[in-house]
Structure formats: C-alpha cells, structure tokens
Amino acid sequence: MYLLQSVVEPGRQTIQYMESMGCTMPPAVDSIREFLDLQHGTPLTWTINRVENLPRQLDSTSCGVFACLYGVYKVFGCTEFDFQTTDMNRVRLWIAGHFLHYTTRTT
C-alpha cells in the first residue's frame, strides 16, 4: 500500500492524480471515481489524468511525504515540482515543525 494525491474538479468532471511510484492507474483512483458517483447518485463520465513528469521516490517509505508535497505545490499553483528523494528528511522536519507549531499554539 502507498499514498497518492488527487485533485477532483466536480464541475469539469475531472480527476487528476499524482503518485510517486510511476504506476499508470492505481486502484485508489477508481475508488475515488466510484465514491464520487455514489455521492452524486448517478454514474458520471469522469476524465482521469495522471500528472506527468513528477519527482519519483527511490525508497519504500516516502510516499506520504511525496503526496503531501504534491498537494502543497498544487495548492500554491506551482507548475514545476522541484524536489527529490534526497529532500525527504528535511521535508519531514518541516512538516513536523508545522504540526508542533499549530498544536502548541494557544488560541
């Protein structure tokens, strides 16, 4: 099992997916489509696109970090994904720092 990132645009009926292992159509993407059809009540015709030219992981433990970074880059409108496996320990510390910052803040 591994993690992937997806972007769903219901109005355009598109599903984009980003994954770090190089798989062509992970089963999770079909599960997302089935869930969306169930929520809509009627099967829709979805366009499913795999985002190409993404950095790939070279180990068996970084898929979650890659999925998080794909999402962060997509949210901020980045068109080039400029990270690699060697960046993962630094990114893990960055993510942990954000969690610690927001969980220790007083409101």
Side-chain angles (χ1 to χ4, degrees), residues 2-6 18-20 55 57 62-74 81 83 88 95:
Y2 69 99
L3 299 171
L4 60 84
Q5 180 65 254
S6 63
M18 298 161 270
E19 56 82 40
S20 59
Q57 72 183 79
S62 297
C63 57
V65 181
F66 273 85
C68 287
L69 282 176
Y70 293 153
V72 168
Y73 274 56
K74 198 71 172 169
F81 296 83
F83 55 88
M88 293 304 108
I95 291 170

Short mmCIF file of all heavy atoms in Angstrom, two decimals, residues 2-6 18-20 55 57 62-74 81 83 88 95:
data_model
loop_
_atom_site.label_atom_id
_atom_site.label_comp_id
_atom_site.label_asym_id
_atom_site.label_seq_id
_atom_site.Cartn_x
_atom_site.Cartn_y
_atom_site.Cartn_z
N TYR A 2 0.43 2.27 -0.69
CA TYR A 2 1.13 3.55 -0.69
C TYR A 2 0.13 4.66 -0.89
O TYR A 2 -1.02 4.44 -1.22
CB TYR A 2 2.24 3.57 -1.74
CG TYR A 2 1.76 3.59 -3.16
CD1 TYR A 2 1.70 4.78 -3.87
CD2 TYR A 2 1.34 2.43 -3.79
CE1 TYR A 2 1.25 4.81 -5.17
CE2 TYR A 2 0.89 2.46 -5.09
CZ TYR A 2 0.85 3.64 -5.78
OH TYR A 2 0.40 3.68 -7.06
N LEU A 3 0.58 5.89 -0.69
CA LEU A 3 -0.30 7.06 -0.77
C LEU A 3 -0.13 7.78 -2.09
O LEU A 3 0.94 7.76 -2.70
CB LEU A 3 0.02 8.02 0.38
CG LEU A 3 -0.16 7.45 1.77
CD1 LEU A 3 0.40 8.42 2.79
CD2 LEU A 3 -1.59 7.13 2.06
N LEU A 4 -1.21 8.43 -2.52
CA LEU A 4 -1.15 9.29 -3.69
C LEU A 4 -1.97 10.53 -3.42
O LEU A 4 -2.72 10.60 -2.47
CB LEU A 4 -1.61 8.58 -4.96
CG LEU A 4 -3.05 8.04 -5.02
CD1 LEU A 4 -4.03 9.11 -5.44
CD2 LEU A 4 -3.10 6.87 -5.97
N GLN A 5 -1.82 11.52 -4.25
CA GLN A 5 -2.55 12.79 -4.13
C GLN A 5 -3.49 12.88 -5.33
O GLN A 5 -3.11 12.53 -6.45
CB GLN A 5 -1.57 13.95 -4.13
CG GLN A 5 -2.18 15.32 -4.03
CD GLN A 5 -2.87 15.54 -2.71
OE1 GLN A 5 -4.08 15.55 -2.67
NE2 GLN A 5 -2.13 15.72 -1.65
N SER A 6 -4.70 13.33 -5.11
CA SER A 6 -5.62 13.53 -6.23
C SER A 6 -6.28 14.90 -6.12
O SER A 6 -6.42 15.45 -5.02
CB SER A 6 -6.69 12.44 -6.27
OG SER A 6 -7.48 12.47 -5.11
N MET A 18 -1.60 12.20 -8.72
CA MET A 18 -0.15 12.33 -8.66
C MET A 18 0.35 11.26 -7.72
O MET A 18 -0.10 11.19 -6.57
CB MET A 18 0.24 13.71 -8.13
CG MET A 18 -0.24 14.86 -9.00
SD MET A 18 -0.28 16.43 -8.12
CE MET A 18 -1.95 16.38 -7.49
N GLU A 19 1.25 10.41 -8.20
CA GLU A 19 1.80 9.39 -7.33
C GLU A 19 3.27 9.22 -7.62
O GLU A 19 3.74 9.53 -8.70
CB GLU A 19 1.00 8.09 -7.45
CG GLU A 19 0.88 7.52 -8.84
CD GLU A 19 2.11 6.73 -9.22
OE1 GLU A 19 2.66 6.00 -8.40
OE2 GLU A 19 2.54 6.86 -10.37
N SER A 20 3.99 8.76 -6.63
CA SER A 20 5.45 8.79 -6.67
C SER A 20 6.12 7.49 -7.09
O SER A 20 7.34 7.43 -7.15
CB SER A 20 5.98 9.18 -5.28
OG SER A 20 5.53 8.26 -4.31
N PRO A 55 8.53 14.19 -9.64
CA PRO A 55 9.64 13.52 -8.97
C PRO A 55 9.19 12.15 -8.45
O PRO A 55 8.05 12.00 -8.01
CB PRO A 55 9.98 14.43 -7.80
CG PRO A 55 9.37 15.75 -8.13
CD PRO A 55 8.20 15.46 -8.99
N GLN A 57 9.91 8.69 -5.99
CA GLN A 57 10.61 8.25 -4.80
C GLN A 57 11.52 7.07 -5.15
O GLN A 57 11.21 6.28 -6.05
CB GLN A 57 9.64 7.88 -3.69
CG GLN A 57 8.87 6.58 -3.91
CD GLN A 57 7.88 6.33 -2.81
OE1 GLN A 57 6.82 6.91 -2.81
NE2 GLN A 57 8.22 5.44 -1.88
N SER A 62 8.72 6.96 1.55
CA SER A 62 8.49 8.40 1.35
C SER A 62 7.20 8.74 0.62
O SER A 62 6.96 9.91 0.32
CB SER A 62 9.67 9.01 0.59
OG SER A 62 10.85 8.91 1.34
N CYS A 63 6.33 7.78 0.34
CA CYS A 63 5.15 8.07 -0.48
C CYS A 63 4.26 9.13 0.18
O CYS A 63 3.71 10.00 -0.50
CB CYS A 63 4.37 6.81 -0.80
SG CYS A 63 3.83 5.86 0.63
N GLY A 64 4.11 9.09 1.50
CA GLY A 64 3.27 10.08 2.18
C GLY A 64 3.83 11.48 2.08
O GLY A 64 3.09 12.45 1.89
N VAL A 65 5.15 11.59 2.19
CA VAL A 65 5.79 12.90 2.09
C VAL A 65 5.65 13.43 0.66
O VAL A 65 5.34 14.60 0.45
CB VAL A 65 7.27 12.84 2.52
CG1 VAL A 65 7.92 14.20 2.44
CG2 VAL A 65 7.40 12.26 3.92
N PHE A 66 5.85 12.56 -0.32
CA PHE A 66 5.66 12.97 -1.71
C PHE A 66 4.22 13.42 -1.94
O PHE A 66 3.98 14.45 -2.58
CB PHE A 66 6.02 11.82 -2.67
CG PHE A 66 7.47 11.77 -3.04
CD1 PHE A 66 8.38 11.12 -2.23
CD2 PHE A 66 7.92 12.37 -4.20
CE1 PHE A 66 9.72 11.06 -2.58
CE2 PHE A 66 9.27 12.32 -4.55
CZ PHE A 66 10.17 11.66 -3.74
N ALA A 67 3.24 12.67 -1.43
CA ALA A 67 1.83 13.03 -1.61
C ALA A 67 1.54 14.39 -0.99
O ALA A 67 0.85 15.23 -1.58
CB ALA A 67 0.93 11.95 -1.02
N CYS A 68 2.09 14.64 0.21
CA CYS A 68 1.90 15.95 0.85
C CYS A 68 2.51 17.07 0.00
O CYS A 68 1.88 18.11 -0.21
CB CYS A 68 2.54 15.97 2.24
SG CYS A 68 1.65 15.02 3.47
N LEU A 69 3.72 16.85 -0.50
CA LEU A 69 4.36 17.88 -1.31
C LEU A 69 3.63 18.12 -2.63
O LEU A 69 3.50 19.26 -3.06
CB LEU A 69 5.82 17.52 -1.58
CG LEU A 69 6.78 17.77 -0.44
CD1 LEU A 69 8.18 17.28 -0.80
CD2 LEU A 69 6.82 19.23 -0.05
N TYR A 70 3.15 17.06 -3.26
CA TYR A 70 2.36 17.25 -4.49
C TYR A 70 1.16 18.16 -4.19
O TYR A 70 0.85 19.06 -4.96
CB TYR A 70 1.84 15.91 -5.04
CG TYR A 70 2.87 14.95 -5.56
CD1 TYR A 70 2.64 13.59 -5.54
CD2 TYR A 70 4.09 15.39 -6.09
CE1 TYR A 70 3.56 12.68 -6.02
CE2 TYR A 70 5.02 14.48 -6.57
CZ TYR A 70 4.76 13.12 -6.54
OH TYR A 70 5.67 12.22 -7.02
N GLY A 71 0.49 17.91 -3.06
CA GLY A 71 -0.66 18.73 -2.69
C GLY A 71 -0.28 20.17 -2.41
O GLY A 71 -0.95 21.11 -2.87
N VAL A 72 0.79 20.38 -1.66
CA VAL A 72 1.25 21.75 -1.35
C VAL A 72 1.59 22.49 -2.63
O VAL A 72 1.17 23.64 -2.84
CB VAL A 72 2.46 21.72 -0.38
CG1 VAL A 72 3.13 23.08 -0.30
CG2 VAL A 72 2.04 21.23 1.00
N TYR A 73 2.33 21.86 -3.51
CA TYR A 73 2.71 22.50 -4.77
C TYR A 73 1.46 22.84 -5.60
O TYR A 73 1.38 23.90 -6.21
CB TYR A 73 3.66 21.60 -5.57
CG TYR A 73 5.11 21.77 -5.20
CD1 TYR A 73 5.56 21.59 -3.89
CD2 TYR A 73 6.05 22.08 -6.16
CE1 TYR A 73 6.90 21.75 -3.55
CE2 TYR A 73 7.39 22.23 -5.84
CZ TYR A 73 7.81 22.06 -4.53
OH TYR A 73 9.13 22.20 -4.21
N LYS A 74 0.50 21.92 -5.63
CA LYS A 74 -0.72 22.14 -6.42
C LYS A 74 -1.53 23.30 -5.83
O LYS A 74 -2.01 24.17 -6.57
CB LYS A 74 -1.55 20.86 -6.44
CG LYS A 74 -2.57 20.80 -7.50
CD LYS A 74 -1.93 20.65 -8.85
CE LYS A 74 -3.00 20.39 -9.88
NZ LYS A 74 -2.48 20.49 -11.23
N PHE A 81 7.62 20.74 -10.15
CA PHE A 81 7.83 20.02 -8.90
C PHE A 81 9.34 19.80 -8.77
O PHE A 81 9.90 18.92 -9.41
CB PHE A 81 7.08 18.69 -8.90
CG PHE A 81 5.58 18.87 -8.98
CD1 PHE A 81 4.94 19.06 -10.19
CD2 PHE A 81 4.82 18.84 -7.82
CE1 PHE A 81 3.56 19.22 -10.25
CE2 PHE A 81 3.44 19.00 -7.87
CZ PHE A 81 2.82 19.20 -9.09
N PHE A 83 11.47 18.93 -6.18
CA PHE A 83 12.03 18.22 -5.03
C PHE A 83 12.38 16.80 -5.45
O PHE A 83 11.99 16.35 -6.54
CB PHE A 83 11.05 18.22 -3.86
CG PHE A 83 9.69 17.68 -4.20
CD1 PHE A 83 9.41 16.33 -4.10
CD2 PHE A 83 8.67 18.54 -4.63
CE1 PHE A 83 8.16 15.84 -4.42
CE2 PHE A 83 7.41 18.05 -4.94
CZ PHE A 83 7.16 16.70 -4.84
N MET A 88 13.68 14.45 1.38
CA MET A 88 12.59 13.97 2.23
C MET A 88 12.84 14.15 3.73
O MET A 88 11.92 14.48 4.47
CB MET A 88 12.26 12.51 1.91
CG MET A 88 11.65 12.33 0.52
SD MET A 88 10.18 13.31 0.22
CE MET A 88 10.79 14.54 -0.91
N ILE A 95 7.39 19.45 7.95
CA ILE A 95 6.01 19.05 8.25
C ILE A 95 5.83 18.92 9.77
O ILE A 95 4.86 19.42 10.33
CB ILE A 95 5.65 17.73 7.53
CG1 ILE A 95 5.58 17.96 6.02
CG2 ILE A 95 4.34 17.16 8.05
CD1 ILE A 95 5.47 16.68 5.20
#
